[in-house]
Amino acid sequence: MEEIDRAIVGALTEDGRLSYTDLAERVGLSVSAVHQRVRRLEQRGVIAGYTAKVSYEALQLPLTAFVAIRPFDPSQPDDAPEKLAHLAEIDSCYSVAGEDFYLLLVRVGSPADLERLLQEIRTAANVTTRTTVVLSTPYENRPPRMPGPDPLP
């Protein structure tokens, strides 16, 4: 990836609402050149979409937890993500290596809500759970570290 494309991706990662004019000023290109490059980055799948950053506290979902799940019977079909997709409290589902099969990022309003959700997860997917409650989040959703150009041989 060219240096200018890395600069565009970095700027949009920090603020996805930048206008093409502001983005052009940041990276030192014309507005039309930036527009073309952004369109190419989208077509190549480098930029996969744009989202809003929300305050979960303001949405009355202050409790964040990670829930590791493991099936009671590993010989059964690996369909936990499908069985849990209807639970809106699950923000993300990661397939992981190690002792557990999946790691869920969940956001709920209270410890009682977390307890209820854990029961729903266990029942829906026939799994055991191990939960870690987040106390604080020093940083989250940081811009990616993009590798520089390949060194010359």
Side-chain angles (χ1 to χ4, degrees), residues 95-107:
S95 176
V96 296
E99 193 174 315
D100 299 308
F101 282 47
Y102 293 96
L103 186 61
L104 311 175
L105 171 63
V106 303
R107 300 185 189 271

Side-chain angles (χ1 to χ4, degrees), residues 1-16 18 20 23-24 26-42 46-47 50 146:
M1 181 185 303
E2 294 180 30
E3 183 65 32
I4 197 74
D5 289 340
R6 280 194 293 278
I8 290 170
V9 170
L12 288 174
T13 302
E14 290 175 15
D15 183 356
L18 280 175
Y20 287 117
L23 186 55
R26 281 200 190 182
V27 300
L29 291 178
S30 69
V31 173
S32 62
V34 164
H35 188 266
Q36 289 175 354
R37 284 181 177 264
V38 168
R39 189 175 326 127
R40 278 199 309 260
L41 289 165
E42 290 170 344
V46 174
I47 297 174
Y50 302 87
M146 292 175 280

Side-chain angles (χ1 to χ4, degrees), residues 13 15-16 19 21 24 33 48-50 63 71 80 84 87 107 109 133-134 140 144 149:
T13 302
D15 183 356
S19 68
T21 302
Y50 302 87
L63 198 157
L84 299 174
L87 297 173
R107 300 185 189 271
V133 173
V134 174
E140 181 176 52

Side-chain angles (χ1 to χ4, degrees), residues 108-123:
V108 294
S110 69
D113 292 334
L114 179 59
E115 186 175 24
R116 177 199 45 78
L117 177 62
L118 291 172
Q119 186 56 48
E120 288 182 46
I121 289 169
R122 290 180 194 120
T123 301

Side-chain angles (χ1 to χ4, degrees), residues 35-149:
H35 188 266
Q36 289 175 354
R37 284 181 177 264
V38 168
R39 189 175 326 127
R40 278 199 309 260
L41 289 165
E42 290 170 344
Q43 290 170 345
R44 288 177 28 214
V46 174
I47 297 174
Y50 302 87
T51 61
K53 293 180 183 178
V54 299
S55 165
Y56 291 98
E57 295 219 1
L59 294 173
Q60 298 181 351
L61 298 170
L63 198 157
T64 300
F66 290 98
V67 180
I69 63 171
R70 189 174 345 134
F72 281 118
D73 183 357
S75 68
Q76 293 300 309
D78 185 9
D79 56 1
E82 294 82 13
K83 289 182 174 181
L84 299 174
H86 70 283
L87 297 173
E89 298 92 341
I90 300 175
D91 180 280
S92 304
C93 175
Y94 305 96
S95 176
V96 296
E99 193 174 315
D100 299 308
F101 282 47
Y102 293 96
L103 186 61
L104 311 175
L105 171 63
V106 303
R107 300 185 189 271
V108 294
S110 69
D113 292 334
L114 179 59
E115 186 175 24
R116 177 199 45 78
L117 177 62
L118 291 172
Q119 186 56 48
E120 288 182 46
I121 289 169
R122 290 180 194 120
T123 301
N126 197 31
V127 294
T128 63
T129 61
R130 187 171 39 88
T131 304
T132 302
V133 173
V134 174
L135 299 177
S136 69
T137 306
Y139 50 85
E140 181 176 52
N141 298 318
R142 299 188 319 171
R145 179 175 181 262
M146 292 175 280

